[in-house]
Amino acid sequence: MTTITQQQWIYRRQPVGQITAEHYELVEQQLSTTLGDGEVLIEARWFSVDPYMRIGQSTKPTYDTDPHPLNTVQQGAVVAQVLASNAPGYAVGDWVQSYTGWQTHARVHASGLKRIDPALAPVTTALGVLGMPGRTAWFGLTESGKPHAGEVVVVSGAAGAVGSLVVQFAKRHGARVLGIAGGPAKCDWLRNTLDADWAIDYKAYADADTLGAEIKRLTGGVDVYFDNVGGMATDAIIPIINRRARIVICGQISQYSGGLETPELGPRLLHHMLYQRATIQGMLARDYLHRMDEMIRIVAPWVKAGEIVFEETVIDGFAQLPAALNSLFTGEHRGKLLVKA
């Protein structure tokens, strides 16, 4: 066999609002299986779907110099298996993580692969609790949030891939945790499964003032705010922060579908930051890539012992990738969103 049929999702058009299949084209072609020195042929089994992908589609300045280029394969992390290897240390059947994006097969130099040990944890955790979301949650909370025992930590987007881990990590630090999520079912899950002290359905509140008043009533004030959402949730929190509060800006998902090109400027609430001598710090997972081993050493034993809940929402089928990406912004998932090839 000298070729293999490869499918790819090519990013064709920049979305302004919601993402649809019209922004992508599904192409099929023959991929040569002839491997150069150090090359490995892989077949994707699991695709990571993450909010940062939507940020990359903005034409306005972001943390990258340029937006995701049109007419190229949609970037993203995958868990794959080795089909053939011309690289020392990689054998047929080995599990690996790569950043080969939305394509069923790829030839990759071994330097672009990270080995996955299926005995450590389910291989999908390389895209979740033991991957980028776990790194984001752990270092965002510990390095920027710096929670202390007894403090109040509020997490927006608390039922998502990062937020659900932040809730659990904050509890392990001895904090009292309030999770904000959309819908009663997610709030019940936060309380009953993740052991959050409080959970609030933001959809039950008409505005930031009433949401903030309820959070204040429950908690007495906020010491650490881990923000994945922005918008109304953040407007509710900032006026009720405590002295020397730490606000961690991890994501602003409420602004991604339609708000990236015409952002809501602000915030208008910085006087509260002054009054409380608080800090706001943005954090990106890439800033802690070199410390992955440190995070794995701490978190992997908890995962192996069954002490960390890592919920996964799985969508079946390579053809579903664009729809899966859009579903991140409509609140239809819980935990880590994955597409199974």
Side-chain angles (χ1 to χ4, degrees):
M1 181 179 66
T2 57
T3 65
I4 197 167
T5 302
Q6 174 197 54
Q7 289 184 303
Q8 298 177 315
W9 276 109
I10 305 296
Y11 174 51
R12 295 292 192 204
R13 289 176 49 219
Q14 189 252 340
V16 176
Q18 290 199 337
I19 296 163
T20 69
E22 295 176 359
H23 298 105
Y24 292 92
E25 182 185 0
L26 182 58
V27 301
E28 194 172 282
Q29 61 190 11
Q30 295 302 301
L31 175 69
S32 170
T33 59
T34 303
L35 299 175
D37 286 344
E39 276 197 323
V40 178
L41 176 67
I42 61 173
E43 182 172 5
R45 305 296 188 199
W46 299 90
F47 295 88
S48 183
V49 183
D50 300 287
Y52 78 80
M53 294 174 171
R54 186 64 182 83
I55 295 177
Q57 295 171 338
S58 171
T59 60
K60 296 291 178 70
T62 67
Y63 43 73
D64 288 323
T65 306
D66 299 304
H68 189 301
L70 293 172
N71 305 314
T72 62
V73 175
Q74 171 62 52
Q75 298 168 357
V78 305
V79 163
Q81 276 189 291
V82 174
L83 294 185
S85 173
N86 195 23
Y90 287 97
V92 173
D94 283 354
W95 286 95
V96 295
Q97 180 186 345
S98 67
Y99 198 69
T100 44
W102 291 5
Q103 51 189 344
T104 55
H105 303 80
R107 289 197 324 268
V108 192
H109 192 274
S111 61
L113 299 175
K114 179 184 177 186
R115 187 182 302 282
I116 298 173
D117 180 3
L120 179 67
V123 294
T124 52
T125 58
L127 302 175
V129 62
L130 299 181
M132 182 273 290
R135 183 169 77 244
T136 305
W138 180 256
F139 288 112
L141 180 68
T142 59
E143 299 279 312
S144 300
K146 299 181 175 67
H148 299 291
E151 288 191 320
V152 171
V153 175
V154 173
V155 185
S156 63
V162 172
S164 60
L165 297 175
V166 174
V167 168
Q168 296 174 80
F169 294 157
K171 289 292 292 183
R172 283 182 168 267
H173 278 79
R176 294 176 295 151
V177 183
L178 182 146
I180 303 173
K186 288 182 179 179
C187 290
D188 288 344
W189 180 69
L190 289 171
R191 280 187 294 261
N192 300 332
T193 303
L194 301 193
D195 200 29
D197 298 272
W198 311 276
I200 285 190
D201 175 9
Y202 72 87
K203 294 181 178 179
Y205 296 85
D207 53 47
D209 289 342
T210 54
L211 175 61
E214 178 62 7
I215 295 172
K216 174 76 170 180
R217 185 187 72 80
L218 292 172
T219 65
V222 178
D223 299 297
V224 179
Y225 174 45
F226 196 103
D227 184 19
N228 292 298
V229 174
M232 185 177 89
T234 299
D235 292 347
I237 296 295
I238 291 182
I240 60 169
I241 55 175
N242 291 332
R243 185 71 47 83
R244 312 221 181 273
R246 287 82 70 199
I247 297 175
V248 185
I249 306 297
C250 175
Q252 299 285 283
I253 200 167
S254 69
Q255 309 299 306
Y256 292 172
S257 284
L260 289 169
E261 303 307 308
T262 55
E264 294 179 19
L265 297 179
R268 312 278 185 246
L269 303 170
L270 291 181
H271 54 103
H272 294 288
M273 305 296 296
L274 166 65
Y275 304 154
Q276 302 302 340
R277 283 79 98 196
T279 59
I280 299 180
Q281 182 173 344
M283 72 82 52
L284 290 177
R286 63 179 64 177
D287 295 339
Y288 298 97
L289 187 59
H290 64 293
R291 295 175 63 182
M292 271 301 282
D293 289 348
E294 176 186 340
M295 188 274 285
I296 296 289
R297 279 198 305 273
I298 297 168
V299 178
W302 299 341
V303 172
K304 195 165 187 178
E307 298 172 5
I308 293 289
V309 176
F310 51 95
E311 189 97 352
E312 295 174 342
T313 297
V314 176
I315 296 176
D316 198 37
F318 181 76
Q320 302 303 314
L321 274 163
L325 178 56
N326 190 63
S327 74
L328 280 175
F329 309 102
T330 55
E332 297 163 12
H333 76 291
R334 197 167 72 190
K336 174 63 190 175
L337 185 61
L338 298 165
V339 170
K340 188 176 187 293

